[in-house]
Amino acid sequence: MLYDFHIHSCLSPCGDDEMTPNNIAGMSHIAGLEAISLTDHNCSLNLPRVKKCSEAFGIKFIPGIEVCTNEDIHVLCYFETLEICLEFGNLIINKLPRIKNKETIFGNQIIMNSDDKIIGNFDYLLLNGCEYSLYETVSLCHSMGGIAVYAHIDKNSYSVLSVLGTLPPEIHIDGVELYHLENRSKLINQGLLSKDMPYMTNSDAHYLENIGEKEQHISSSNPLFKLLEK
Ligand SMILES: [Zn+2]
Ligand SMILES: [Zn+2]
């Protein structure tokens, strides 16, 4: 299956302004992707538009969000329906620090409709950690029927390993994302990752040309397959 389950839109301040709903869907179609997810930082407001545009191309869409916890760990949370993901997104927004975005420094946070018309700009900076801890984020995600995956565990910042140095055994995570697949065997050899842990790689695209560009590997045990079957 060709997929990309970690894509940012123009709502993420670090996402390019060209990452509009129609452009994301169109580029995913050109890249031959069969399934995608939009995972903006701490916010779900562009999901309805990207879902509509993706499905118009016949691309399966999984609603998602990349939560930044209060420990500055990125967790990808995926949900079965758009409605539940929007509800989860609202809970995260309510736990964001009320710090205004400075567009000239961090970038725009553009909310769009499916015609790529700007319908608003999100006020508070979405890059900050929310008030939820890692434990609370994963528990909340699970309580709403979602799937929680540690984002880019092999990166040196905003990853569970860079912050905690380990995958805490008390947190029942559903899988891990690797930025580079070759790091999986290294982490297993270092005793930092179990061979049985479901895994995947994604683009973490912030620019159109990055969508679907990475080699795509997803373990057959990955719980995201359950959402794809729905
Ligand atoms: Zn991230
Ligand atoms: Zn990301």
Side-chain angles (χ1 to χ4, degrees):
M1 184 192 54
L2 292 171
Y3 72 91
D4 196 342
F5 295 136
H6 189 162
I7 297 173
H8 291 269
S9 79
C10 50
L11 175 60
S12 293
C14 42
D16 191 54
D17 289 355
E18 293 296 314
M19 294 293 266
T20 66
N22 279 293
N23 284 350
I24 289 172
M27 188 54 97
S28 299
H29 175 68
I30 289 167
L33 301 182
E34 295 157 80
I36 65 165
S37 182
L38 179 72
T39 50
D40 278 315
H41 292 293
N42 289 326
C43 195
S44 55
L45 290 176
N46 270 354
L47 283 172
R49 292 87 198 179
V50 178
K51 176 178 159 62
K52 193 176 157 196
C53 295
S54 303
E55 289 177 349
F57 279 107
I59 299 168
K60 183 98 185 165
F61 185 80
I62 297 180
I65 183 166
E66 183 173 24
V67 178
C68 185
T69 70
N70 68 13
E71 305 95 340
D72 276 340
I73 297 169
H74 285 183
V75 183
L76 296 161
C77 297
Y78 300 98
F79 295 89
E80 194 181 327
T81 68
L82 177 65
E83 290 69 28
I84 300 176
C85 195
L86 291 173
E87 195 184 323
F88 178 81
N90 280 335
L91 296 171
I92 300 297
I93 282 175
N94 286 333
K95 296 288 181 185
L96 268 184
R98 295 298 185 245
I99 296 171
K100 289 239 180 202
N101 181 30
K102 289 197 178 78
E103 282 91 354
T104 49
I105 297 174
F106 299 110
N108 295 318
Q109 300 185 150
I110 301 167
I111 307 166
M112 284 197 150
N113 69 12
S114 55
D115 297 323
D116 282 358
K117 293 241 162 59
I118 296 175
I119 53 174
N121 281 282
F122 194 78
D123 265 355
Y124 301 122
L125 179 61
L126 291 168
L127 290 178
N128 285 313
C130 70
E131 279 174 37
Y132 288 125
S133 66
L134 177 60
Y135 184 82
E136 288 168 329
T137 301
V138 174
S139 300
L140 181 66
C141 174
H142 284 162
S143 74
M144 296 173 74
I147 287 169
V149 175
Y150 288 134
H152 42 68
I153 58 163
D154 48 338
K155 274 194 175 174
N156 291 333
S157 55
Y158 299 107
S159 72
V160 66
L161 288 178
S162 68
V163 175
L164 300 179
T166 183
L167 270 59
E170 69 274 18
I171 294 176
H172 301 293
I173 201 78
D174 299 297
V176 298
E177 179 197 57
L178 292 141
Y179 196 63
H180 295 295
L181 185 69
E182 59 266 31
N183 288 330
R184 179 171 173 260
S185 52
K186 284 183 207 156
L187 293 172
I188 291 171
N189 290 339
Q190 290 168 335
L192 292 169
L193 184 65
S194 153
K195 264 206 290 260
D196 302 326
M197 178 63 79
Y199 64 92
M200 61 175 169
T201 56
N202 291 297
S203 71
D204 197 357
H206 288 72
Y207 294 85
L208 283 172
E209 59 267 32
N210 301 132
I211 292 176
E213 66 152 11
K214 292 276 289 286
E215 273 182 85
Q216 293 155 35
H217 294 273
I218 186 163
S219 57
S220 54
S221 60
N222 197 298
L224 282 174
F225 283 116
K226 280 189 220 133
L227 295 188
L228 285 170
E229 285 159 12
K230 303 263 163 130

